[in-house]
Amino acid sequence: MVHTTMEGSLFEPTLYIVKGMCILDNDGNRILAKYYDKDIMPTAKEQKAFEKNLFNKTHRANAEIIMLEGLTCVYKSNVDLFFYVMGSSHENELILQSVLNTLYESVSILLRRNVERRVLLDNLDAVMLAFDEICDGGVILDTDPTSIVGRAALRTEDVPLGEQTVAQVLQSAKEQLKWSLLK
Amino acid sequence: MSRRDKKEDEDSGFQNLDKTTLLQEARYFNSTPVIPRKCIHILTKILYLLNQGEKLTTQEATDIFFATTKLFQSKDVVLRRLVYLTIKELSPMAQDVIIVTSSLTKDMTGKEDLYRAAAIRALCTITDSTMLQAIERYMKQAIVDTNPAVSSAALVSALHLSATVPDLVRRWVMEAQGVITSDNAMVSYHALAVVAGARRNDRLSTVKLVTKLARTPLRSSYAICLLIRYAAKLAEEDQTDASEPYVEFIESCLRHKSEIVVYEAAHAIVNLRKSARDLAQAVSVLQIFCGSSKATMRLAGARTLAKLTAKHPNAVAACAVDLENLISDPNRSVATLAVTTLLATGAESSIDRLMKQISSFMSEISDEFKIVVVRAIRRLCSKYPRKHQSLASFLAGMLRDEGGLQYKTAIADAIIALVEENPDAKETGLAHLCEFIEDCEHASLAVRILHILGREGPKARQPSRYIRYIYNRVILESGPVRAAAVSAVARFGAARPELLPNISVLLARCQLDDDDEVRDRAIYYSAILDSGDAQLINDYIINVPIPNPVLLERALQDYLNSDADLSEPFNLATVPTMAEETQEPKEAPVEIESRAPIVSREEQYADQIKVIPGIEKLGPIFKTCESIDLTEPETEYRVQCVKHIFARHLVLQFECLNTLSDQLLEKVHIRLEAAPGYKMLIEVPCEQLPYDKQGSVFCVLEFPENPIETLGTFGATLEFVVRDCDPTTGLPDSGEGYADTYPLEEIEVSCAEQFRTRAASDDWEATWERAASAEEACDTFGLSQSDVGEAAKAVCEHLGLPKGAISGDAVKEIRGGGVWRGGTPVLVRARLVMAGGAVTMQLTARSPREDIATLLLAAVG
């Protein structure tokens, strides 16, 4: 009962579809990257080597998809940012493509359509939350950019004083007073 | 500070982050009141640093973790969410992470929707099975929660947990089942996976699930894709008409509005092993994909069509026009797939044009795809032998280009195959290989090519021209390559006597080499060649059996460790030789996945049979036979039998599988009614056989002295003690359990199993003549088949000979040889003639031992 033959070439019924997602800058350096399969590139060193290779193969040709080191990688770039989603080479490419679209669209909304490195770094916290909302341990969690952004971009403190309601201003003043008294 | 400056600061802040400084900054979390803005910034930097691959010690991770827990006092949503993220990131590194369980539990049951979903996911990453019991109730509630994010979070967490605590998660299936038809697409997708995953081993309920859901339209395209995968799996397992509804469902999905689903369905139909089915619909969908403006869709279409070329070349040939449009595609992966597919299906006339096209972008594609191209060309070589000239020069061109070892190996393989298959291409192919090793940086590849040159070179018209290339290696290369070159040179001397004087000079020079191995080989070959004994030269230079290296190593270890004194020499003949590649591994013409290395059966089982006490005394294993089912499939207990043949012993391995989740089997053993003459030595029972875990029972028997008596059948019964157990935890109930038995089918020991056979080699005739003095057994048989060819095949099967042993047309002749389990060689020849509507066969066997020759005849009779 030892299995030696390869399993059939049908897609495996699994939810663990995404093997990794990353955003690189225009020198191929990692800005954010997550890998979800312990068996694929377990160390940071292997991951960075893979990213270098991936970047070299993709940054010139805008060809949407490439098969590399046993993975199917779909990608998209804008100004100085490169977005990648990786999956097994034995996976529905269009599903991976839809995840990439979700990632790109979510980030784009978060950055108010200014998809570039500087703006992304300014909003890194929100982008990290978006990563977390799109994929959980390799399982696609959500693909609706609006709902993802709704749960990732939650600026409460950023609202300038003039735009806060009176109640909000009072509330925060009260809080501050309380803490200063407690000190 | 102006807004602009701040930006610059932040940017550079991310670039020169320092772990020590950050650890200092994390202390800021302890101060009150918590200023969210500042803490968010620090946490983001910590997460960024971790994401860049920075390693933290356990102490550092724990420090940051505990500092982070202080931030639970703040109610800022972004900060809280980042705290969850940090907890998830640090949980594998830090200690005592379960300290936050109560905080997270509070958040997951609280009122704030924005916390709940993320808190559930964080909690399930840090918790263990004991803590899970406590939150089980909340998880069940969360699964059916009206907020889709919460429900999805709980379902996905359940899915992750099912890898470690499947039984616990199985109790949540009821809740999950309820939300499969949820209005939210993602919830329905996740719920389907949880429900189906829990029933993975239960085919019947999977059937029910799929059948039910196939009728109810699901909202999520992902969920439909998953359903298609389950349906396809069911259809593949069940080849009868009962699978019709699944295929119908998949076909109906071809008309879905989502491309994802359409592709999923087309892919499933193309890959289902049911062949005769009408592919037209799926193929036309893929054709449309090939014309899409999106590269991903074109690739998906081209890849799936390419896979189809192996089974249904005609179906693909119909798409030739669409594929033609893709050969200049800007995405080189798509272009390569299109060209290789066209090469596989197209006519001979189009080859040159396509090859030209492909060479224009060969340098732009990745090694993986280059290998695809090489494989395609290799197949072309065997399909259109007349084209070998242009194909070989194309391969040689690629061989000169840059490329990794894998790529070069693929090319060398292709040329070697060309040399072996096509006599016309032999000389050109060898010339290309010679040129390649002049400048080859991979020692392993050089060694292989030298071996091929040594084997094929002497058969060429002008063998002497290769010797120069080979001898150059002796002067220029590293030790292993020099050694291989010496062996290759020696083969020329052995096969072409007219070259012998020159070869002797070369070998004499090699005897002064620095490397031990090179010197040894040179001396060894010189000695054999100088002896002038044709038999010796043949056995030790030209036709040397190559033992399986893994098994040889094991056998030698056993030999050295055995108690018997070492005065008895080690017998190489008892080690199984390398299995000859009986047939080309069936691969789809355009396949990019790498495949697992082929492991021989003997190697697979070698570790398993180690558990038998005293197994090393039996000597090296001679052969492991294919496993045989002793039970019907899909019964309560599944038992397969694997026969391991040793020189004088037979080891029966019974691989048992318990398919009842509410039973634990103990003291499992086999009651064997041995055939007369066999002596039962020991039995190794299987102490425990839990549900779905394979266990083995071993019986060691001694073969009867007389070979004829070894043919017989064994009756077998499975005996065991049943203890009922809890299907979810697998723990047995208290109480003794009761003994039970289960009848198995009989086991037959045949003659073929005790031989290692091979088809006749080139010099079979000479070997046969030399064996004329040996004992011979001869008899004539009437066979029941009405066709000579079929009869010959049946005889081959019976004797365990490969089909390649058959030759002749009207009079079929089977020539083969083999080794009996003790190491005694046997030669066999059978002649089959059609006479008066029946097939008559004359079978002759020659062997030094008469009883073994007779045994072969008895096996057929």
Side-chain angles (χ1 to χ4, degrees):
Chain A
M1 279 176 246
V2 181
H3 294 289
T4 47
T5 50
M6 290 273 292
E7 290 295 314
S9 38
L10 290 166
F11 290 142
E12 196 55 33
T14 174
L15 243 59
Y16 293 86
I17 284 174
V18 183
K19 299 291 178 200
M21 300 198 296
C22 67
I23 304 179
L24 306 180
D25 69 12
N26 59 348
D27 295 318
N29 295 317
R30 173 192 290 189
I31 292 175
L32 266 188
K34 288 289 275 177
Y35 292 84
Y36 300 105
D37 191 331
K38 283 194 192 71
D39 302 328
I40 295 172
M41 296 180 278
T43 67
K45 206 176 148 208
E46 290 167 89
Q47 295 170 4
K48 295 230 166 159
F50 172 77
E51 283 159 25
K52 267 262 129 48
N53 190 9
L54 181 63
F55 182 75
N56 287 337
K57 289 271 191 314
T58 52
H59 76 285
R60 259 169 284 131
N62 199 6
E64 284 188 31
I65 184 166
I66 186 172
M67 324 283 296
L68 198 69
E69 297 179 27
L71 292 175
T72 299
C73 314
V74 287
Y75 60 99
K76 191 178 175 88
S77 65
N78 195 349
V79 193
D80 52 1
L81 288 175
F82 289 79
F83 295 78
Y84 297 89
V85 171
M86 282 79 78
S88 147
S89 61
H90 207 79
E91 191 45 76
N92 185 331
E93 295 89 343
L94 301 184
I95 294 186
L96 297 174
Q97 182 72 49
S98 73
V99 177
L100 177 71
N101 289 342
T102 307
L103 173 67
Y104 184 85
E105 191 55 27
S106 309
V107 171
S108 172
I109 300 175
L110 280 175
L111 307 185
R112 300 195 181 83
R113 304 290 168 195
N114 299 315
V115 184
E116 48 186 304
R117 179 169 173 275
R118 164 92 24 109
V119 186
L120 188 137
L121 282 175
D122 282 347
N123 295 283
L124 196 60
D125 47 354
V127 177
M128 281 176 176
L129 291 179
F131 254 63
D132 184 56
E133 289 289 345
I134 293 171
C135 180
D136 184 288
V139 177
I140 304 168
L141 201 56
D142 200 349
T143 49
D144 177 12
T146 1
S147 78
I148 288 164
V149 170
R151 275 176 280 136
L154 311 149
R155 291 277 162 214
T156 46
E157 290 284 305
D158 244 8
V159 187
L161 205 57
E163 285 169 43
Q164 290 186 17
T165 60
V166 181
Q168 272 176 328
V169 177
L170 276 180
Q171 176 68 27
S172 68
K174 225 189 272 173
E175 290 259 348
Q176 278 185 17
L177 187 70
K178 198 167 76 190
W179 282 112
S180 59
L181 286 175
L182 280 171
K183 257 187 203 167
Chain B
M1 197 187 273
S2 76
R3 179 87 183 154
R4 181 85 202 149
D5 289 343
K6 211 155 58 186
K7 261 188 190 174
E8 230 115 61
D9 265 353
E10 262 182 9
D11 194 342
S12 61
F14 280 118
Q15 245 152 31
N16 310 311
L17 281 182
D18 173 48
K19 187 168 82 172
T20 352
T21 332
L22 264 184
L23 281 168
Q24 291 285 339
E25 286 187 36
R27 291 194 191 157
Y28 183 79
F29 296 161
N30 292 320
S31 60
T32 42
V34 176
I35 301 172
R37 192 168 171 71
K38 180 96 180 155
C39 293
I40 286 174
H41 190 56
I42 300 173
L43 267 188
T44 312
K45 284 201 278 190
I46 293 174
L47 287 170
Y48 179 76
L49 201 66
L50 287 174
N51 197 268
Q52 291 296 316
E54 181 76 42
K55 285 270 177 298
L56 297 182
T57 64
T58 311
Q59 188 56 49
E60 286 164 350
T62 313
D63 284 349
I64 296 186
F65 182 79
F66 274 88
T68 312
T69 56
K70 297 286 193 315
L71 301 176
F72 270 105
Q73 342 172 8
S74 165
K75 288 209 165 50
D76 186 89
V77 193
V78 180
L79 181 59
R80 182 67 61 90
R81 295 287 311 280
L82 285 173
V83 169
Y84 298 151
L85 262 192
T86 319
I87 290 173
K88 281 201 276 186
E89 289 294 323
L90 291 177
S91 69
M93 293 179 264
Q95 285 173 326
D96 300 325
V97 289
I98 42 174
I99 197 119
V100 290
T101 306
S102 63
S103 304
L104 290 172
T105 316
K106 210 173 114 221
D107 281 355
M108 92 177 244
T109 51
K111 287 207 180 65
E112 180 59 86
D113 273 350
L114 286 165
Y115 292 165
R116 281 162 65 206
I120 290 171
R121 292 194 284 128
L123 184 58
C124 289
T125 29
I126 60 157
T127 197
D128 57 21
S129 54
T130 48
M131 306 292 289
L132 261 179
Q133 308 269 3
I135 57 158
E136 193 181 347
R137 190 163 56 92
Y138 303 127
M139 287 296 285
K140 284 185 176 177
Q141 280 169 7
I143 290 175
V144 292
D145 199 282
T146 45
N147 183 324
V150 173
S151 181
S152 272
L155 287 164
V156 172
S157 299
L159 202 64
H160 293 323
L161 289 169
S162 65
T164 47
V165 281
D167 304 320
L168 190 64
V169 175
R170 220 166 274 148
R171 287 189 241 155
W172 307 344
V173 166
M174 277 301 287
E175 283 76 16
Q177 183 118 44
V179 290
I180 288 186
T181 46
S182 158
D183 285 344
N184 183 284
M186 293 317 282
V187 172
S188 136
Y189 173 51
H190 296 139
L192 173 60
V194 170
V195 173
R199 297 176 174 179
R200 201 171 38 234
N201 295 321
D202 183 352
R203 189 185 150 88
L204 203 66
S205 64
T206 310
V207 167
K208 269 191 209 150
L209 182 71
V210 173
T211 323
K212 194 177 127 220
L213 291 176
R215 284 194 300 263
T216 40
L218 291 171
R219 283 188 179 247
S220 159
S221 348
Y222 294 141
I224 301 178
C225 286
L226 191 62
L227 199 59
I228 291 175
R229 291 183 194 190
Y230 279 113
K233 213 168 179 185
L234 289 175
E236 192 185 33
E237 283 163 3
D238 183 356
Q239 298 288 350
T240 60
D241 287 344
S243 67
E244 198 68 13
Y246 310 127
V247 181
E248 269 168 26
F249 162 66
I250 299 174
E251 275 177 349
S252 74
C253 290
L254 284 173
R255 293 181 295 275
H256 197 271
K257 60 183 189 305
S258 160
E259 284 155 353
I260 299 180
V261 174
V262 173
Y263 173 56
E264 184 78 39
H267 183 273
I269 291 176
V270 165
N271 283 288
L272 269 179
R273 297 219 178 106
K274 311 181 157 268
S275 53
R277 192 159 298 284
D278 189 13
L279 288 163
Q281 259 189 322
V283 169
S284 66
V285 162
L286 292 170
Q287 251 175 310
I288 296 170
F289 273 43
C290 286
S292 164
S293 61
K294 292 189 201 139
T296 307
M297 285 182 73
R298 293 198 301 272
L299 183 79
R303 243 184 116 188
T304 314
L305 281 178
K307 272 204 193 118
L308 202 57
T309 41
K311 281 184 291 177
H312 304 283
N314 294 336
V316 184
C319 312
V321 182
D322 305 86
L323 291 170
E324 286 278 351
N325 290 333
L326 296 181
I327 55 180
S328 51
D329 198 281
N331 185 320
R332 293 315 187 193
S333 304
V334 175
T336 316
L337 281 170
V339 173
T340 44
T341 311
L342 285 170
L343 281 175
T345 53
E348 194 169 351
S349 54
S350 62
I351 289 178
D352 286 325
R353 185 175 56 87
L354 290 168
M355 298 290 274
K356 206 171 145 206
Q357 184 76 34
I358 222 173
S359 53
S360 68
F361 60 80
M362 203 56 192
S363 58
E364 291 173 45
I365 57 180
S366 65
D367 268 14
E368 270 112 333
F369 273 95
K370 284 184 186 166
I371 294 173
V372 172
V373 175
V374 171
R375 293 220 184 102
I377 296 178
R378 179 176 169 177
R379 262 182 308 276
L380 279 181
C381 292
S382 32
K383 199 167 158 197
Y384 301 115
R386 278 189 298 153
K387 281 274 170 211
H388 72 84
Q389 207 82 36
S390 66
L391 293 173
S393 65
F394 188 80
L395 286 172
M398 293 204 281
L399 211 44
R400 277 191 290 274
D401 289 342
E402 289 297 301
L405 174 61
Q406 234 190 344
Y407 170 48
K408 293 283 162 115
T409 312
I411 306 174
D413 277 341
I415 300 188
I416 291 168
L418 186 66
V419 166
E420 281 170 350
E421 285 163 15
N422 190 341
D424 296 332
K426 183 167 285 179
E427 306 258 326
T428 33
L430 287 179
H432 288 311
L433 289 177
C434 281
E435 201 179 303
F436 174 56
I437 53 167
E438 290 279 279
D439 185 26
C440 170
E441 69 230 70
H442 309 290
S444 60
L445 202 49
V447 168
R448 258 190 70 200
I449 293 178
L450 283 169
H451 177 74
I452 298 293
L453 287 176
R455 202 178 65 202
E456 302 291 334
K459 297 178 200 158
R461 271 194 305 273
Q462 263 192 308
S464 55
R465 55 191 284 217
Y466 303 113
I467 296 177
R468 181 173 66 82
Y469 286 103
I470 299 172
Y471 193 69
N472 276 345
R473 300 301 99 211
V474 178
I475 303 167
L476 297 167
E477 294 279 0
S478 62
V481 182
R482 291 205 301 276
V486 168
S487 301
V489 168
R491 293 184 75 137
F492 279 85
R496 304 297 281 252
E498 73 271 17
L499 295 172
L500 192 52
N502 297 337
I503 299 287
S504 297
V505 175
L506 293 180
L507 286 177
R509 278 192 211 156
C510 297
Q511 288 174 18
L512 302 172
D513 197 280
D514 294 340
D515 190 278
D516 290 352
E517 175 70 21
V518 180
R519 270 198 317 276
D520 283 358
R521 285 200 194 186
I523 294 169
Y524 171 78
Y525 288 124
S526 300
I528 293 172
L529 289 172
D530 289 345
S531 73
D533 180 342
Q535 175 70 42
L536 201 62
I537 291 174
N538 180 48
D539 286 355
Y540 288 92
I541 302 185
I542 299 176
N543 280 319
V544 192
I546 307 164
N548 182 321
V550 180
L551 295 173
L552 177 63
E553 185 191 349
R554 220 179 282 264
L556 285 169
Q557 262 171 10
D558 288 347
Y559 175 72
L560 289 175
N561 295 337
S562 68
D563 306 333
D565 69 313
L566 300 175
S567 58
E568 190 182 313
F570 180 75
N571 187 357
L572 193 61
T574 55
V575 182
T577 46
M578 283 299 268
E580 285 155 38
E581 278 185 50
T582 40
Q583 68 194 80
E584 187 79 346
K586 278 191 199 119
E587 48 183 333
V590 186
E591 188 77 54
I592 346 187
E593 292 95 58
S594 57
R595 40 194 71 238
I598 299 160
V599 187
S600 79
R601 260 202 305 281
E602 284 82 358
E603 286 171 57
Q604 268 169 37
Y605 284 104
D607 281 326
Q608 296 188 23
I609 60 171
K610 277 245 163 79
V611 301
I612 306 174
I615 186 80
E616 68 280 352
K617 292 202 191 81
L618 304 186
I621 186 162
F622 176 78
K623 183 176 172 180
T624 294
C625 308
E626 238 174 289
S627 60
I628 307 161
D629 281 315
L630 296 185
T631 51
E632 296 286 319
E634 310 206 2
T635 46
E636 302 97 298
Y637 314 113
R638 280 221 303 272
V639 182
Q640 290 186 306
C641 176
V642 180
K643 282 172 254 179
H644 304 282
I645 315 282
F646 289 77
R648 279 193 296 278
H649 299 87
L650 169 69
V651 174
L652 297 174
Q653 175 176 2
F654 296 91
E655 300 183 307
C656 314
L657 186 74
N658 168 15
T659 61
L660 298 177
S661 61
D662 57 349
Q663 284 192 0
L664 173 73
L665 305 189
E666 290 186 334
K667 303 194 184 69
V668 182
H669 71 103
I670 302 279
R671 199 177 65 232
L672 209 59
E673 290 143 34
Y678 277 91
K679 210 156 72 193
M680 182 81 178
L681 296 182
I682 38 171
E683 186 194 353
V684 183
C686 177
E687 284 307 327
Q688 270 203 335
L689 194 62
Y691 162 64
D692 209 22
K693 293 242 169 55
Q694 192 172 307
S696 286
V697 180
F698 297 92
C699 296
V700 182
L701 298 125
E702 192 176 324
F703 276 116
E705 273 304 313
N706 187 349
I708 298 288
E709 285 178 23
T710 60
L711 308 178
T713 33
F714 293 74
T717 316
L718 190 68
E719 295 190 331
F720 47 85
V721 174
V722 182
R723 287 182 68 183
D724 292 326
C725 67
D726 182 351
T728 50
T729 57
L731 291 174
D733 301 346
S734 57
E736 280 297 286
Y738 53 93
D740 201 356
T741 60
Y742 193 78
L744 302 175
E745 279 172 34
E746 290 187 328
I747 307 148
E748 195 186 351
V749 179
S750 76
C751 161
E753 287 163 350
Q754 303 175 51
F755 279 105
R756 262 202 326 254
T757 52
R758 53 168 195 271
S761 50
D762 296 342
D763 57 341
W764 192 85
E765 205 66 45
T767 323
W768 179 257
E769 287 314 316
R770 271 203 300 282
S773 57
E775 300 292 339
E776 185 180 293
C778 180
D779 207 344
T780 313
F781 302 87
L783 299 179
S784 54
Q785 286 87 349
S786 54
D787 177 72
V788 193
E790 263 169 41
K793 276 188 199 140
V795 171
C796 273
E797 217 158 90
H798 220 86
L799 295 174
L801 286 166
K803 300 273 184 292
I806 309 170
S807 59
D809 295 324
V811 178
K812 292 273 183 204
E813 180 156 312
I814 302 173
R815 298 158 151 193
V819 186
W820 167 252
R821 56 180 152 84
T824 318
V826 186
L827 289 169
V828 58
R829 185 179 68 185
R831 284 189 170 131
L832 290 90
V833 199
M834 191 77 185
V839 180
T840 322
M841 171 175 74
Q842 190 200 38
L843 184 69
T844 318
R846 284 177 181 174
S847 167
R849 275 175 65 180
E850 191 190 359
D851 46 0
I852 290 170
T854 334
L855 170 71
L856 258 181
L857 297 196
V860 177

